[in-house]
Amino acid sequence: MTTIASREGLTDAEAAVRLVREGPNELPRPPRRSAARRVLAQLTDPLVLVLLVVAAVTTAIGDHADTAVVLLVVLGNTTVGVVQEIRADRSVEALDRLGAARARVRREGTVRTVPAREVVPGDVLAVAAGDVLAADGTVLWGESLQLDEAAITGESLPVEAHRPGTEVLSGSVVTRGRGEVLVGSTGPSSAMGRIAEGLVRTRSRRTPLQHQLAALGRRLALAAVVACAVVFALGLLRGEPPVLMLVAALSLAVAAVPESLPVVVTLGLALGARRMAERHAVARSLPAVETLGAVTLLATDKTGTLTEGRLRVAETWPEQDLDELARAAVLCNDAPAVPDADAGPGTDPLEAALVDWARSRGVDVAAVRAHHPRRGAVPFDAVRRRMTTWHDGGSDGGDDAVLVVDKGAPETVLPPPGTSERADHARRWAEDAATRGLRVIVVATGRRADVPGDGDEDADVGQGLDVLGVLALRDLPREAARDALAGCHRAGIRTVVLTGDHPGTAATVAAQVGLTGPGGRPARVAVPDGAGHDGDLLDADVVARCRPERKLDLVAGWQSRGQVVAMTGDGVNDGPALRRADIGVAMGRRGTEVARQAADLVLADDDLNTVVAAVDEGRRIHTNVRRFLAYALAGGLAEVLVMLAGPVIGVALPLLPGQILWINLLTHGLPGVAFGTEPSEPGAMATGPRRPGASVLAGGLWVGVLVVGAVVAALTVAVLVLVGDPEPRSAAFVTLGLAQLGVAVGLRARRPRGTTSPGPDWLLIAVGGAALAQVAAVTVAPLMALLRTTTPTPLGFAAAGAAAVVAGLVARLLARPRVIGEERP
Ligand SMILES: Nc1ncnc2c1ncn2[C@@H]1O[C@H](COP(=O)(O)OP(=O)(O)OP(=O)(O)O)[C@@H](O)[C@H]1O
């Protein structure tokens, strides 16, 4: 049994002691891969195995120089591979930490937010609607506390949990009310922990792009094998030694396949995720980072996203004699009687605004509540769109000792039109206030003999209430939202507002933040009526009176039309739609825990512009992967073409096996990784999104690869033929290496004129280093001996330099935004 906590909660010191004793409140993580295992995994890669075979063959024939080169390449590849993998894993772990679950606990007498992993047995959890319970425990007190335990027990109906002593389970979602829970068990011994036990968490870390690239890699490998078999056969036909040809063919196969593709992509995504985090967007998975670049539609909620989320009562109907209205508004209300910093996200800003308003009118909220103790309640929810409470009615009600107060959206609280003059008047006033962008609430009261039984509440409030008045609340539009919508518009992303609010209010707020339909036409507002979704709803720009389950339908509908949907959501019931969306977006500060945990992207600053920034990052990553792909494929192609062309021009083996591998090491190593750091193109966010599902080589990229590969090969062959060096192979070797590096420079992102990029230019640094190494290979004696090169004549060097420039210029054509960025008007 856990020590009973006082109202103060644990002290920090006690919590720290318990954290050490009980261990962190988290599920056991799969152990990290050890360095040895990582190295082993690299060494058993099929391409490395081929290299090891080459090493065995060269050793057998006593060709120790080539063996040394091969082993150098294996060492280089393995080191780069392992380092990249570790870096990528670290970034993912850092993201996990940033996006980790949080909990509010009472410590040292105050409620504060801590990472859920620091919750210990004996802690007092403060919970409110939208929270996910961080641990198992028992309810200390609850107001209308209701939990959804579906994730744990499979029970689909919410359970009431307001009675003290009720046992509650970690992982349950608080759907209503608030309260405090004394923590019993945490971590592996909690309900969540027991479920997780025995389940190996096999979260596939492969993204769709990685899958596509893996498939591409297999096709390329096949093509390379065929090409190498041809090279081998041609060599034999010309009477070259079979062993030499075998080694050459195998080396070529290794060089032609861009084996580092998957890891370059992972690292690119991980780097991108880190940059996103610096821009306040925490991506909770690598696939999310990639998908962001492809988003075509952003569905946003209204309060707190398009508006400030700070509500204030601006107008009332009637204008006078408001005392009874004010008293009723604070009775049917869960906000604290005095503004309370501890209230947490469970406090509804609308209810807090009503309390403020009543207090400003001189109402003593605590006294009113004490005078009419609450006997029953149906809290507000997005489906009923109203809240009802029953209270002791005081002495003036005769037999009808119970006071019922109902407040909510006009159409749910007001009787049908024509029922009463007063109600019709209220309705007209409310409509008018809504079209001015105000959020409207009708309050009605009545007398009853008793509190209704469970399940009869709705029948009870259905009739005979007196309309006390209408409150209209203002929520100022956010300037930042206007910028964000303009940014989306420029980037070709359609924006749609989904809200539970009145169509008039929604339309006005949408207009205030500059939302228009496609092509700048005025926004179209739709209100769902029956079941099923029709085309109208999917084409609307504002969907008002939209229930959470309808959001799910809409997301699915858009997706079936091929849209890639990002959706912001915050409500207790938004979880399913957030999960269904390609990118679920939650607000880090204001958002509920359940929304955060369902989301793929958490905005640490609650600013919609951050979504636009994240899309920019996503597009940048995708473009950089395409840059690397173009570079690596063109290089591999050039190498194969040179080897095929050799026999035709009378050079049986234009490059020796060791030379091929050396070029492979230089060009694929650091420059490949450095592509991931290229900035986004200046105009990347001024064009449409890429076509969903398109191949990563779409937009003419593969044609470009063929052209650039052919040009690099032609330049190399030209040097081989035309430069009359004593050893033309060395000049060709330098040319092939430098020309590929020229391609890398040509494929760089454009920088906006007159700006200096913030960080170091890693690509230029990597290319510079590789170029020096390539020159060293023909000028530094030990390397020359190893690679069997000679130093080319000045003419040979000049030709190689010129080839690099030409290759770079040709690649520049490929780097035009229209091709590399798949620019779409
Ligand atoms: N606490 C409340 N008590 C009673 N009625 C409420 C309460 N909050 C909102 N309403 C009514 O229910 C309607 C829908 O509100 P809800 O909060 O579900 O909208 P929403 O989808 O969250 O809106 P948004 O997109 O602006 O965030 C409001 O227009 C209002 O009339």
Side-chain angles (χ1 to χ4, degrees), residues 301-303 348 350-351 380 382 385-387 407-409 439-441 498-502 545:
D301 56 350
K302 180 174 66 65
T303 303
D348 184 336
L350 180 139
E351 301 198 340
F380 171 76
R385 288 206 298 275
R386 71 208 286 192
M387 170 173 180
K407 85 173 197 303
R439 170 169 263 215
V440 283
I441 288 281
L498 299 185
T499 175
D501 219 334
H502 187 284
R545 291 301 189 221

Side-chain angles (χ1 to χ4, degrees), residues 8 89 127 166 177 197 230 232 346 363 407 439 446 464 481 490 521 523 526 530 533 585 611 731 819:
E8 302 284 288
D89 278 4
V127 298
T166 311
E197 213 166 277
V230 173
F232 180 64
V363 172
K407 85 173 197 303
R439 170 169 263 215
R490 270 195 304 278
R521 65 159 168 72
H533 51 254
V585 184
V611 175
V819 182

Side-chain angles (χ1 to χ4, degrees), residues 300-305 307 332-334 348 350-351 354 379-388 406-413 439-442 475 497-502 505 545-548 551 570-571 574 590:
T300 159
D301 56 350
K302 180 174 66 65
T303 303
T305 308
T307 65
C332 183
N333 188 318
D334 283 330
D348 184 336
L350 180 139
E351 301 198 340
L354 297 187
F380 171 76
D381 71 53
V383 178
R384 277 181 91 237
R385 288 206 298 275
R386 71 208 286 192
M387 170 173 180
T388 318
D406 194 24
K407 85 173 197 303
E411 68 276 21
T412 64
V413 176
R439 170 169 263 215
V440 283
I441 288 281
V442 177
D475 188 7
V497 177
L498 299 185
T499 175
D501 219 334
H502 187 284
T505 317
R545 291 301 189 221
C546 185
R547 293 181 179 183
K551 293 190 183 175
D570 185 24
D574 283 345
R590 183 175 52 83

Side-chain angles (χ1 to χ4, degrees), residues 723 725 731 734-735 738 774-775 778-779 791-803:
V723 177
D725 268 6
V734 181
T735 307
L738 292 189
Q774 181 67 352
V775 172
V778 290
T779 49
T791 305
T793 57
L795 178 65
F797 274 122

